[in-house]
Protein backbone atom coordinates (compact mmCIF):
# COMPACT_ATOMS: atom_id res chain seq x y z
CA UNK A 1 0.00 0.00 0.00
CA UNK A 2 1.37 3.39 -0.98
CA UNK A 3 1.82 5.64 2.04
CA UNK A 4 0.29 9.08 2.20
CA UNK A 5 3.74 10.63 2.18
CA UNK A 6 4.65 8.97 -1.07
CA UNK A 7 1.38 10.10 -2.69
CA UNK A 8 2.07 13.68 -1.65
CA UNK A 9 5.65 13.51 -2.98
CA UNK A 10 4.50 12.20 -6.33
CA UNK A 11 1.80 14.91 -6.58
CA UNK A 12 4.30 17.70 -5.96
CA UNK A 13 6.74 16.18 -8.43
CA UNK A 14 4.09 16.02 -11.14
CA UNK A 15 3.04 19.62 -10.46
CA UNK A 16 6.58 20.81 -10.98
CA UNK A 17 6.83 18.63 -14.02
CA UNK A 18 3.81 20.19 -15.79
CA UNK A 19 3.97 23.74 -14.46
CA UNK A 20 6.82 26.09 -14.30
CA UNK A 21 7.52 27.98 -11.14
CA UNK A 22 6.19 31.12 -12.80
CA UNK A 23 2.87 29.43 -13.59
CA UNK A 24 2.48 28.20 -10.05
CA UNK A 25 3.11 31.71 -8.73
CA UNK A 26 0.42 33.12 -11.04
CA UNK A 27 -2.09 30.50 -9.93
CA UNK A 28 -1.34 31.28 -6.29
CA UNK A 29 -1.89 35.01 -6.91
CA UNK A 30 -5.20 34.32 -8.63
CA UNK A 31 -6.37 32.22 -5.70
CA UNK A 32 -5.45 34.97 -3.23
CA UNK A 33 -7.28 37.56 -5.37
CA UNK A 34 -10.38 35.36 -5.37
CA UNK A 35 -10.20 35.08 -1.60
CA UNK A 36 -9.90 38.85 -1.24
CA UNK A 37 -12.85 39.39 -3.58
CA UNK A 38 -14.95 36.90 -1.65
CA UNK A 39 -14.08 38.63 1.62
CA UNK A 40 -15.10 42.02 0.19
CA UNK A 41 -18.41 40.61 -1.03
CA UNK A 42 -19.19 39.16 2.42
CA UNK A 43 -18.32 42.45 4.09
CA UNK A 44 -20.61 44.33 1.70
CA UNK A 45 -23.45 41.86 2.37
CA UNK A 46 -23.06 42.28 6.12
CA UNK A 47 -23.10 46.06 5.75
CA UNK A 48 -26.27 45.91 3.64
CA UNK A 49 -28.01 43.64 6.15
CA UNK A 50 -27.25 46.05 8.99
CA UNK A 51 -28.66 48.91 6.95
CA UNK A 52 -31.85 46.96 6.17
CA UNK A 53 -32.35 46.04 9.84
CA UNK A 54 -31.92 49.68 10.89
CA UNK A 55 -34.37 50.81 8.20
CA UNK A 56 -36.91 48.17 9.24
CA UNK A 57 -36.75 49.32 12.86
CA UNK A 58 -37.18 52.93 11.82
CA UNK A 59 -40.20 52.15 9.65
CA UNK A 60 -41.73 49.94 12.35
CA UNK A 61 -41.25 52.59 15.01
CA UNK A 62 -42.85 55.23 12.80
CA UNK A 63 -45.77 52.93 12.00
CA UNK A 64 -46.39 52.08 15.67
CA UNK A 65 -46.25 55.74 16.60
CA UNK A 66 -49.12 56.45 14.23
CA UNK A 67 -51.26 53.60 15.57
CA UNK A 68 -53.81 54.53 18.26
CA UNK A 69 -52.81 53.11 21.63
CA UNK A 70 -55.24 50.46 22.89
CA UNK A 71 -57.32 51.42 25.89
CA UNK A 72 -56.79 48.59 28.35
CA UNK A 73 -58.53 50.38 31.17
CA UNK A 74 -61.58 48.46 32.37
CA UNK A 75 -64.84 50.29 31.83
CA UNK A 76 -66.79 51.22 34.93
CA UNK A 77 -70.43 50.36 35.56
CA UNK A 78 -73.02 53.05 34.93
CA UNK A 79 -73.25 54.85 38.31
CA UNK A 80 -76.62 56.33 37.43
CA UNK A 81 -78.37 53.11 36.50
CA UNK A 82 -80.70 51.96 39.28
CA UNK A 83 -81.11 48.19 39.61
CA UNK A 84 -84.21 46.75 41.17
CA UNK A 85 -83.09 44.43 43.96
CA UNK A 86 -85.85 43.16 46.22
CA UNK A 87 -84.94 42.90 49.89
CA UNK A 88 -87.14 39.85 50.35
CA UNK A 89 -86.21 37.86 53.45
CA UNK A 90 -82.59 38.95 53.45
CA UNK A 91 -80.93 40.25 56.62
CA UNK A 92 -81.34 43.97 57.31
CA UNK A 93 -78.91 45.90 59.52
CA UNK A 94 -79.75 49.36 60.81
CA UNK A 95 -83.04 51.24 60.66
CA UNK A 96 -85.46 49.08 58.60
CA UNK A 97 -87.42 52.23 57.66
CA UNK A 98 -84.39 54.17 56.40
CA UNK A 99 -84.72 56.07 53.13
CA UNK A 100 -81.50 54.70 51.65
CA UNK A 101 -80.89 50.98 51.17
CA UNK A 102 -77.34 49.71 50.80
CA UNK A 103 -77.26 46.16 49.45
CA UNK A 104 -74.14 44.09 49.97
CA UNK A 105 -73.50 40.75 48.23
CA UNK A 106 -70.82 38.87 50.12
CA UNK A 107 -68.72 35.70 50.39
CA UNK A 108 -67.52 34.56 53.83
CA UNK A 109 -64.14 33.33 52.54
CA UNK A 110 -63.12 36.33 50.47
CA UNK A 111 -60.59 38.81 51.97
CA UNK A 112 -62.16 41.85 50.29
CA UNK A 113 -65.52 40.98 51.78
CA UNK A 114 -63.89 40.76 55.19
CA UNK A 115 -62.29 44.18 54.74
CA UNK A 116 -65.63 45.75 53.83
CA UNK A 117 -67.23 44.77 57.16
CA UNK A 118 -65.75 47.85 58.84
CA UNK A 119 -66.95 50.03 55.94
CA UNK A 120 -70.54 48.97 56.59
CA UNK A 121 -70.15 49.61 60.31
CA UNK A 122 -68.82 53.11 59.61
CA UNK A 123 -71.63 53.85 57.18
CA UNK A 124 -74.32 52.80 59.68
CA UNK A 125 -72.63 54.86 62.36
CA UNK A 126 -72.58 57.93 60.10
CA UNK A 127 -76.21 57.52 58.96
CA UNK A 128 -77.98 55.77 61.88
CA UNK A 129 -81.45 56.86 60.77
CA UNK A 130 -81.10 57.29 57.03
CA UNK A 131 -79.33 54.11 55.91
CA UNK A 132 -80.10 50.42 56.23
CA UNK A 133 -77.82 47.66 54.95
CA UNK A 134 -79.15 44.48 53.38
CA UNK A 135 -76.79 41.51 53.53
CA UNK A 136 -77.11 39.01 50.67
CA UNK A 137 -75.00 35.97 49.90
CA UNK A 138 -73.02 35.23 46.76
CA UNK A 139 -70.73 32.30 47.70
CA UNK A 140 -68.09 31.73 45.04
CA UNK A 141 -67.68 28.17 43.77
CA UNK A 142 -63.93 28.29 44.47
CA UNK A 143 -64.59 28.90 48.18
CA UNK A 144 -65.77 25.53 49.42
CA UNK A 145 -66.87 26.68 52.89
CA UNK A 146 -68.45 30.02 51.96
CA UNK A 147 -71.96 28.68 51.42
CA UNK A 148 -71.96 26.65 54.62
CA UNK A 149 -70.72 29.68 56.57
CA UNK A 150 -73.65 31.66 55.14
CA UNK A 151 -76.00 28.92 56.33
CA UNK A 152 -74.54 29.13 59.84
CA UNK A 153 -74.91 32.92 59.90
CA UNK A 154 -78.55 32.78 58.78
CA UNK A 155 -79.22 30.04 61.34
CA UNK A 156 -77.72 32.30 64.02
CA UNK A 157 -80.25 34.95 62.96
CA UNK A 158 -83.03 32.62 64.12
CA UNK A 159 -81.54 32.95 67.60
CA UNK A 160 -81.10 36.72 67.29
CA UNK A 161 -77.32 36.68 66.78
CA UNK A 162 -76.74 37.20 63.05
CA UNK A 163 -74.67 40.37 63.39
CA UNK A 164 -72.44 38.83 66.03
CA UNK A 165 -71.93 35.64 63.98
CA UNK A 166 -71.36 37.68 60.82
CA UNK A 167 -68.59 39.70 62.46
CA UNK A 168 -66.96 36.74 64.21
CA UNK A 169 -66.76 34.61 61.07
CA UNK A 170 -65.13 37.41 59.10
CA UNK A 171 -62.67 38.11 61.92
CA UNK A 172 -61.29 34.58 61.46
CA UNK A 173 -62.45 33.79 57.91
CA UNK A 174 -59.12 32.27 56.84
CA UNK A 175 -59.63 29.43 59.33
CA UNK A 176 -62.76 28.26 57.51
CA UNK A 177 -60.65 26.48 54.89
CA UNK A 178 -59.31 23.95 57.39
CA UNK A 179 -62.02 24.31 60.01
CA UNK A 180 -65.44 24.37 58.29
CA UNK A 181 -67.19 23.93 61.66
CA UNK A 182 -65.65 27.15 63.00
CA UNK A 183 -69.13 28.81 63.23
CA UNK A 184 -70.20 26.09 65.70
CA UNK A 185 -67.36 27.13 68.02
CA UNK A 186 -68.37 30.76 67.60
CA UNK A 187 -71.98 29.84 68.36
CA UNK A 188 -70.91 28.19 71.61
CA UNK A 189 -68.96 31.34 72.55
CA UNK A 190 -72.05 33.43 71.82
CA UNK A 191 -74.17 31.17 74.03
CA UNK A 192 -76.31 29.84 71.16
CA UNK A 193 -77.99 26.48 71.06
CA UNK A 194 -75.51 24.67 68.79
CA UNK A 195 -77.84 21.72 68.21
CA UNK A 196 -80.60 24.02 66.98
CA UNK A 197 -78.08 25.97 64.91
CA UNK A 198 -76.99 22.78 63.08
CA UNK A 199 -80.59 21.83 62.49
CA UNK A 200 -81.65 25.26 61.25
CA UNK A 201 -78.72 25.72 58.87
CA UNK A 202 -80.06 22.94 56.62
CA UNK A 203 -83.61 24.25 56.67
CA UNK A 204 -84.89 24.72 53.08
CA UNK A 205 -85.93 28.23 54.09
CA UNK A 206 -82.25 29.12 54.59
CA UNK A 207 -80.74 27.17 51.69
CA UNK A 208 -83.43 28.48 49.37
CA UNK A 209 -82.77 32.06 50.46
CA UNK A 210 -79.07 31.72 49.61
CA UNK A 211 -79.96 30.34 46.18
CA UNK A 212 -82.34 33.24 45.56
CA UNK A 213 -79.80 35.86 46.64
CA UNK A 214 -77.16 34.31 44.40
CA UNK A 215 -79.52 34.49 41.42
CA UNK A 216 -80.39 38.10 42.17
CA UNK A 217 -76.82 39.22 41.53
CA UNK A 218 -76.20 36.74 38.74
CA UNK A 219 -79.09 38.07 36.66
CA UNK A 220 -77.76 41.63 36.88
CA UNK A 221 -74.76 40.73 34.69
CA UNK A 222 -76.87 41.58 31.63
CA UNK A 223 -78.90 44.43 33.11
CA UNK A 224 -77.92 46.85 30.33
CA UNK A 225 -75.75 46.74 27.18
CA UNK A 226 -72.20 48.01 26.93
CA UNK A 227 -71.78 51.59 25.80
CA UNK A 228 -68.80 53.65 24.71
CA UNK A 229 -68.35 54.85 28.27
CA UNK A 230 -69.71 52.10 30.52
CA UNK A 231 -69.35 48.34 30.85
CA UNK A 232 -72.27 46.03 30.15
CA UNK A 233 -74.34 45.18 33.19
CA UNK A 234 -72.83 44.17 36.51
CA UNK A 235 -69.48 42.46 36.91
CA UNK A 236 -69.95 39.30 38.99
CA UNK A 237 -67.50 39.95 41.81
CA UNK A 238 -67.79 40.38 45.54
CA UNK A 239 -68.20 42.33 47.63
CA UNK A 240 -70.76 43.99 45.42
CA UNK A 241 -72.57 47.08 46.68
CA UNK A 242 -75.64 48.94 45.51
CA UNK A 243 -77.00 52.14 47.02
CA UNK A 244 -80.70 52.43 46.23
CA UNK A 245 -79.87 50.18 43.29
CA UNK A 246 -76.92 52.27 42.06
CA UNK A 247 -73.43 50.76 41.95
CA UNK A 248 -70.96 53.21 43.54
CA UNK A 249 -67.65 53.95 41.82
CA UNK A 250 -65.41 53.21 44.76
CA UNK A 251 -65.39 51.20 47.94
CA UNK A 252 -64.70 53.89 50.51
CA UNK A 253 -66.80 55.75 53.05
CA UNK A 254 -66.36 58.96 51.04
CA UNK A 255 -67.54 57.32 47.80
CA UNK A 256 -70.52 55.77 49.54
CA UNK A 257 -71.40 59.00 51.32
CA UNK A 258 -71.48 60.89 48.02
CA UNK A 259 -74.15 58.55 46.62
CA UNK A 260 -76.07 58.38 49.92
CA UNK A 261 -76.24 62.17 50.12
CA UNK A 262 -77.47 62.35 46.52
CA UNK A 263 -80.21 59.83 47.29
CA UNK A 264 -81.26 61.67 50.45
CA UNK A 265 -81.86 64.83 48.42
CA UNK A 266 -84.35 63.11 46.12
Amino acid sequence: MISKFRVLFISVFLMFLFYSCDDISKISDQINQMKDTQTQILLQQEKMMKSLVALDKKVGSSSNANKPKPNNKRKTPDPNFSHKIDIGNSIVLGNPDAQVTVTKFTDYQWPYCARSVSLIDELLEKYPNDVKVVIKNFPLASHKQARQAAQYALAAHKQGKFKEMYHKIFEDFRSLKNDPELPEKIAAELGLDVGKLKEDMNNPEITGLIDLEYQQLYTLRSAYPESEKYAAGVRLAVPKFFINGREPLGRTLAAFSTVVDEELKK
Side-chain angles (χ1 to χ4, degrees):
M1 181 179 291
I2 301 175
S3 66
K4 293 181 180 179
F5 179 78
R6 292 179 65 186
V7 171
L8 179 63
F9 179 79
I10 292 171
S11 299
V12 172
F13 176 76
L14 290 173
M15 184 177 70
F16 275 98
L17 183 65
F18 289 104
Y19 296 99
S20 66
C21 291
D22 188 52
D23 290 334
I24 293 173
S25 177
K26 288 179 180 180
I27 291 172
S28 178
D29 290 341
Q30 289 176 355
I31 291 174
N32 288 332
Q33 287 178 3
M34 290 174 64
K35 288 182 178 180
D36 290 340
T37 301
Q38 185 181 30
T39 300
Q40 291 298 322
I41 291 173
L42 291 173
L43 289 173
Q44 287 295 327
Q45 287 179 339
E46 184 178 356
K47 187 176 180 180
M48 289 174 65
M49 286 299 298
K50 288 182 178 180
S51 298
L52 287 172
V53 170
L55 180 61
D56 184 61
K57 287 183 178 180
K58 186 175 180 181
V59 171
S61 176
S62 176
S63 176
N64 290 333
N66 295 327
K67 288 182 180 179
K69 294 183 179 180
N71 183 8
N72 295 323
K73 187 177 180 181
R74 177 184 291 165
K75 290 182 179 180
T76 63
D78 186 345
N80 299 311
F81 189 92
S82 182
H83 301 274
K84 293 182 179 179
I85 307 172
D86 292 334
I87 295 175
N89 294 321
S90 299
I91 300 296
V92 176
L93 303 177
N95 177 14
D97 299 320
Q99 180 181 339
V100 177
T101 300
V102 176
T103 305
K104 175 187 179 182
F105 286 89
T106 193
D107 174 301
Y108 282 94
Q109 278 190 277
W110 194 231
Y112 294 106
C113 292
R115 292 178 192 175
S116 67
V117 170
S118 59
L119 172 60
I120 291 302
D121 291 342
E122 292 170 7
L123 191 67
L124 288 172
E125 183 178 350
K126 183 175 181 179
Y127 300 95
N129 299 314
D130 298 319
V131 170
K132 62 177 174 287
V133 176
V134 179
I135 305 295
K136 290 181 179 288
N137 295 285
F138 193 82
L140 302 176
S142 57
H143 297 157
K144 304 303 182 183
Q145 311 305 332
R147 181 184 175 89
Q148 181 172 284
Q151 291 174 240
Y152 275 119
L154 291 173
H157 176 61
K158 287 184 171 294
Q159 299 186 49
K161 293 290 184 179
F162 171 84
K163 189 175 182 179
E164 290 81 357
M165 178 67 79
Y166 168 83
H167 277 82
K168 287 286 186 180
I169 291 176
F170 273 122
E171 286 174 10
D172 197 20
F173 74 96
R174 295 186 189 279
S175 297
L176 283 171
K177 183 176 181 179
N178 298 316
D179 187 8
E181 278 72 45
L182 172 66
E184 293 181 16
K185 299 174 184 177
I186 296 174
E189 294 173 5
L190 295 174
L192 302 182
D193 184 334
V194 178
K196 186 177 186 307
L197 183 85
K198 293 169 68 175
E199 181 181 345
D200 288 340
M201 67 175 288
N202 292 312
N203 189 311
E205 179 185 342
I206 285 178
T207 57
L209 177 59
I210 295 173
D211 291 338
L212 177 61
E213 292 173 340
Y214 186 96
Q215 285 299 318
Q216 282 183 298
L217 179 57
Y218 187 80
T219 55
L220 296 183
R221 75 193 190 284
S222 55
Y224 51 83
E226 182 178 4
S227 65
E228 185 177 344
K229 188 175 182 180
Y230 299 119
V234 172
R235 181 168 172 260
L236 297 180
V238 286
K240 181 66 65 178
F241 292 96
F242 300 93
I243 302 176
N244 277 3
R246 296 168 57 192
E247 188 172 355
L249 300 180
R251 206 179 292 161
T252 64
L253 182 61
F256 278 30
S257 296
T258 298
V259 182
V260 169
D261 292 340
E262 288 175 358
E263 290 299 312
L264 289 174
K265 292 177 182 177
K266 293 182 179 180

